[in-house]
Amino acid sequence: METLMAILIGVLFTVGVYLLLSKNFLRIILGTSILAHGTHLLIITMGGLKKGMPPIISGKNVAYTDPLPQALILTAIVINFAVTALFLVLAYRSYQELGTDNIEKIRSIADE
């Protein structure tokens, strides 16, 4: 299972970096979001893919699943959605002001 997750993480990182290197705002925003999801999967995989055990230590069960990676991922997902929403609003506002979402054209407008 860890091998499949490693391949999926690699694919997500590859797609995210490819989108980050483009010149379009929306592609860059999608790239950051995909990179964040790849990071979430990486943290979950590094925490250990266990199933069937409760995240609470009780008197009977000595074995338990570590809840820390899941708590970190839930926090990171919320932060990722907030940052993505902020980036989308900023991209929309810059498109309204400048009339383009191409970074090269925005740089040429700023130089004039």
Side-chain angles (χ1 to χ4, degrees):
M1 187 71 176
E2 283 85 7
T3 305
L4 179 65
M5 293 297 284
I7 292 170
L8 180 63
I9 292 167
V11 169
L12 285 175
F13 271 85
T14 303
V15 171
V17 169
Y18 175 75
L19 289 174
L20 272 178
L21 296 176
S22 67
K23 297 177 181 176
N24 189 328
F25 270 142
L26 288 178
R27 286 182 175 211
I28 293 171
I29 293 169
L30 285 175
T32 57
S33 182
I34 289 173
L35 271 177
H37 288 298
T39 306
H40 299 160
L41 286 178
L42 178 67
I43 292 172
I44 284 285
T45 305
M46 295 304 291
L49 299 174
K50 299 174 188 170
K51 58 182 179 181
M53 299 293 173
I56 300 171
I57 300 174
S58 66
K60 300 176 202 171
N61 284 338
V62 177
Y64 70 101
T65 303
D66 187 14
L68 184 62
Q70 297 164 2
L72 287 173
I73 297 304
L74 285 176
T75 305
I77 287 171
V78 171
I79 292 171
N80 182 32
F81 280 135
V83 169
T84 302
L86 176 69
F87 284 164
L88 286 173
V89 168
L90 290 175
Y92 179 68
R93 183 70 181 141
S94 70
Y95 180 77
Q96 280 183 332
E97 288 292 321
L98 302 172
T100 183
D101 62 346
N102 191 323
I103 292 178
E104 294 295 326
K105 289 181 182 176
I106 291 174
R107 283 185 184 157
S108 66
I109 291 172
D111 290 340
E112 293 175 358

